Amino acid sequence: MFLRRSAIKTLALTALSMRLSSGIASSFADDAVRARKLRARMPALACDCHAHVIGPYEQYPMIVTRAYTPPTASVQKIRAMHRTLGIDRSVLVQPSFYGSDNACLLSALQQLGTNARGVAVVPESASKQQLDSLHVSGIRGIRINRAGSARDRNELPAVVEAAGRQAAERNWHVQLFLPMPVIAEIAPIIEASPAPFVLDHFAGARASGTTQPGFERVLRLIERGHAYLKLTAPYHASQPPDYPGMGELAAAFIDANPERVLWGTDWPHTPWVSGQSVDTISPFYPADNVRLLELLFEWVPEESTRSAILVDNPARLFGFS
């Protein structure tokens, strides 16, 4: 009797294990099929306009004043992700936890070669020689990240204006990560700037429609060509897998000016947290990269418009030949 019960238990555990393994295998298989269908429809030279490379920690230390500590994300991993999606070009963006030390970014650009560009954090005091060196390394933009900062807004206009002058000298752009109402406040500075601007993550919009504060003012920046808009990180404002409300925003931006819209993965989906010790590694947001690209195809069914967003607009802005 003991042997029979033991055998039955073993068979049951084996069956459970097989079912679980089958489910995992099916999930991976489904992801592979979805990715393969997307790759077949991707235009050549498609660009991921917003991603990050992180670490190793010992080689690229993070600033003490950072809000969080993410896991590492290597060049090898971003290459694999891009192969899965059928992406040929990439734009790496300096994250907040490295401050103005762009060493990790520059190393990644060197490894990725001519199909990669970068957006750095550059102090106003940077010399001409320093900026020239950044340009040679593939930097094409200056990032201003104040989305999670409580610093005085009074200093922001001067910072934005100075960055615009720096960027214009080298045919760069200024990239802003700010809440939408703040972007609306500084819209006159953006309009007067000699450099183009790029607005991160749906320009900081919420998933509350096109009547939210600042939307019309920001939409006018896109419409008149003063700024580009990145369809990135919908999880900052909505919920997976379909991110309700973000499609309406995407349609409004694209209708305003499809030549000023970009797309990116925001890989590896760094956490956006506060109040957690920096001694604790905060896990990445569990975003589905395949689903993020599927959404672009759903939001932009016209092949010519998708090609402009994925290929033509990035090539023009970032100087891909």
Side-chain angles (χ1 to χ4, degrees):
M1 182 65 69
F2 174 78
L3 290 175
R4 181 179 296 177
R5 288 178 180 173
S6 178
I8 291 172
K9 183 177 180 180
T10 300
L11 287 172
L13 290 173
T14 301
L16 176 60
S17 177
M18 290 178 65
R19 287 199 300 273
L20 291 174
S21 297
S22 175
I24 293 171
S26 297
S27 177
F28 286 150
D30 291 344
D31 289 347
V33 169
R34 290 163 55 218
R36 186 164 61 248
K37 288 180 179 179
L38 287 175
R39 283 199 306 274
R41 301 173 64 190
M42 286 289 278
L45 304 179
C47 184
D48 176 355
C49 290
H50 197 109
H52 311 283
V53 168
I54 306 167
Y57 297 132
E58 63 276 10
Q59 190 171 357
Y60 303 109
M62 300 176 186
I63 59 174
V64 175
T65 56
R66 64 189 181 276
Y68 62 92
T69 301
T72 60
S74 67
V75 169
Q76 291 73 21
K77 287 183 179 179
I78 194 173
R79 280 175 170 156
M81 183 271 294
H82 283 162
R83 283 195 299 270
T84 297
L85 298 182
I87 292 171
D88 299 316
R89 291 171 169 171
S90 58
V91 177
L92 301 183
V93 177
Q94 174 77 344
S96 63
F97 43 81
Y98 281 134
S100 59
D101 183 352
N102 299 289
C104 182
L105 169 62
L106 297 177
S107 173
L109 291 177
Q110 184 178 31
Q111 294 175 66
L112 290 169
T114 57
N115 280 337
R117 297 288 187 270
V119 180
V121 172
V122 179
E124 188 177 349
S125 60
S127 68
K128 180 182 182 300
Q129 290 73 22
Q130 288 173 319
L131 295 174
D132 289 344
S133 178
L134 289 173
H135 188 90
V136 171
S137 297
I139 299 300
R140 294 296 183 270
I142 298 172
R143 192 184 200 201
I144 298 174
N145 181 351
R146 298 288 182 89
S149 173
R151 293 174 64 180
D152 189 353
R153 282 190 192 175
N154 292 333
E155 70 178 28
L156 183 62
V159 171
V160 171
E161 189 173 11
R165 291 194 301 269
Q166 282 181 311
E169 292 175 0
R170 283 154 185 82
N171 199 28
W172 292 1
H173 66 272
V174 179
Q175 181 172 313
L176 300 179
F177 186 16
L178 297 168
M180 178 167 276
V182 178
I183 296 174
E185 287 178 12
I186 62 172
I189 297 173
I190 296 173
E191 291 171 337
S193 178
F197 278 68
V198 174
L199 310 179
D200 275 359
H201 307 331
F202 287 80
R206 299 176 179 178
S208 57
T210 59
T211 60
Q212 61 186 288
F215 190 88
E216 285 298 325
R217 193 70 177 91
V218 170
L219 193 69
R220 196 151 66 244
L221 291 174
I222 308 301
E223 183 180 39
R224 296 179 179 177
H226 295 294
Y228 290 75
L229 185 285
K230 283 190 180 181
L231 302 177
T232 50
Y235 39 78
H236 283 188
S238 188
Q239 298 297 317
D242 297 327
Y243 301 102
M246 305 310 286
E248 178 186 359
L249 301 179
F253 289 125
I254 293 167
D255 287 346
N257 191 344
E259 293 185 355
R260 290 296 183 271
V261 178
L262 308 165
W263 176 86
T265 60
D266 193 34
W267 184 92
H269 316 293
T270 54
W272 208 35
V273 298
S274 60
Q276 187 169 346
S277 170
V278 296
D279 294 328
T280 301
I281 295 178
S282 302
F284 293 130
Y285 186 88
D288 180 342
N289 296 306
V290 177
R291 182 61 188 145
L292 292 174
L293 186 53
E294 285 176 338
L295 283 171
L296 178 68
F297 278 76
E298 293 172 14
W299 294 340
V300 192
E302 302 84 6
E303 184 177 350
S304 60
T305 305
R306 274 202 317 274
S307 184
I309 293 170
L310 289 169
V311 182
D312 301 336
N313 300 347
R316 178 177 61 251
L317 178 64
F318 297 103
F320 288 110
S321 57

